[in-house]
Amino acid sequence: EVQLVESGGVLVQPGGSLRLSCAASGFTFSSFAMSWVRQAPGKGLEWVSTISHSGGSTYYADSVKGRFTMSRDNPKSTLYLQMNSLRAEDTAVYYCAGTGTYNRGDWFDPWGQGTLVTVSS
Amino acid sequence: DIVMTQSPDSLAVSLGERATINCKSSQSVLYTSNNKNYLAWYQQKPGQPPKLLIHSASTRESGVPDRFSGSGSGTDFTLTISSLQAEDVAVYYCQQYYTTPYSFGQGTKLAIK
């Protein structure tokens, strides 16, 4: 069964740091680009970042560039999002999602269940 | 950056009737070298992650009921539910994956009339 399980979401103070993880199983993780997509409470979906299958290339939304760093450990089939200098507007459910491979486009599938990050004092 | 705009923001349709959601991109998402539109549709029910329904503007994902269909090319796209079922109540999003920053429409909330 294809599965993505996020973890690491907690309540953190503004200016703080946090690392999210996403454990993958049931598919060849190292063949897929991966992404983080977030959803603020009651709001729509916002793309955050994408990493290539090898980890050699990363892409970020302007809203997180310079503050967030995406990485992956292919032998462990795990994706990470290091979040620094957190702001109230980073409060959201963060989803990891598969994002394309050599024979398919960069649509988002599969998705994890999400982990909630709350930035508040 | 490509801006995705959906219409309407919300929609109420009777059971068994057709529902139509529109999505417009600020620039073409048609990749001319392979003639594919880099446009996907997702369904999100409360408390759940989004679910991929359609990619490449009109290719239904495996397991998605055939009452869901996608059409359009270039900058104008449509998601159609041919005969609304109770389980189709959800928020629907379009998304372009033509170029980063990838972008979603604001969502269309579909309800039963």
Side-chain angles (χ1 to χ4, degrees), chain A residues 44 55 101 113-114 117 121:
Chain A
T101 183
Q113 287 296 314
V117 173
S121 55

Side-chain angles (χ1 to χ4, degrees), chain B residues 4-26:
Chain B
M4 308 299 291
T5 304
Q6 291 180 227
S7 61
D9 290 336
S10 62
L11 181 62
V13 174
S14 300
L15 290 173
E17 296 299 305
R18 178 185 300 262
T20 301
I21 299 170
N22 300 301
C23 174
K24 189 173 184 69
S25 57
S26 61

Side-chain angles (χ1 to χ4, degrees), chain A residues 35 37 39 43-47 50 59-62 95 99 104-109 111-114, chain B residues 1 38 40 42 44 47-52 54-56 61 93 95 97 100-106:
Chain A
S35 296
V37 176
Q39 187 168 36
K43 302 298 185 183
L45 301 169
E46 179 189 14
W47 170 75
T50 294
Y59 310 87
Y60 299 95
D62 285 346
Y95 297 101
T99 314
R104 58 151 264 202
D106 287 350
W107 56 84
F108 298 130
D109 183 67
W111 293 70
Q113 287 296 314
Chain B
D1 297 0
Y38 284 29
Y42 302 88
Q44 188 178 32
Q48 296 185 18
K51 173 188 174 183
L52 175 70
I54 287 169
H55 63 81
S56 308
E61 183 69 353
Y93 296 93
Q95 178 239 336
Y97 50 94
T100 59
Y102 299 133
S103 47
F104 293 88
Q106 78 276 19

Side-chain angles (χ1 to χ4, degrees), chain B residues 46-108:
Chain B
Q48 296 185 18
K51 173 188 174 183
L52 175 70
L53 295 176
I54 287 169
H55 63 81
S56 308
S58 59
T59 302
R60 199 181 307 114
E61 183 69 353
S62 175
V64 173
D66 60 7
R67 63 180 180 274
F68 290 91
S69 64
S71 62
S73 184
T75 62
D76 292 279
F77 301 91
T78 300
L79 174 70
T80 301
I81 307 172
S82 60
S83 176
L84 189 71
Q85 305 299 302
E87 61 265 32
D88 300 335
V89 169
V91 179
Y92 292 84
Y93 296 93
C94 62
Q95 178 239 336
Q96 67 80 17
Y97 50 94
Y98 182 85
T99 186
T100 59
Y102 299 133
S103 47
F104 293 88
Q106 78 276 19
T108 295

Side-chain angles (χ1 to χ4, degrees), chain A residues 19 33 35 74:
Chain A
R19 189 176 83 156
S35 296
N74 282 345

Side-chain angles (χ1 to χ4, degrees), chain A residues 8-20 38 67-68 81-92 94 115-121:
Chain A
V10 291
L11 171 63
V12 61
Q13 291 190 337
S17 296
L18 198 58
R19 189 176 83 156
L20 304 183
R38 68 184 180 184
R67 300 188 298 122
F68 290 11
L81 185 66
Q82 178 66 43
M83 309 165 69
N84 298 331
S85 303
L86 282 161
R87 307 166 180 167
E89 55 264 35
D90 296 318
T91 294
Y94 284 74
T115 188
L116 176 62
V117 173
T118 303
V119 184
S120 175
S121 55

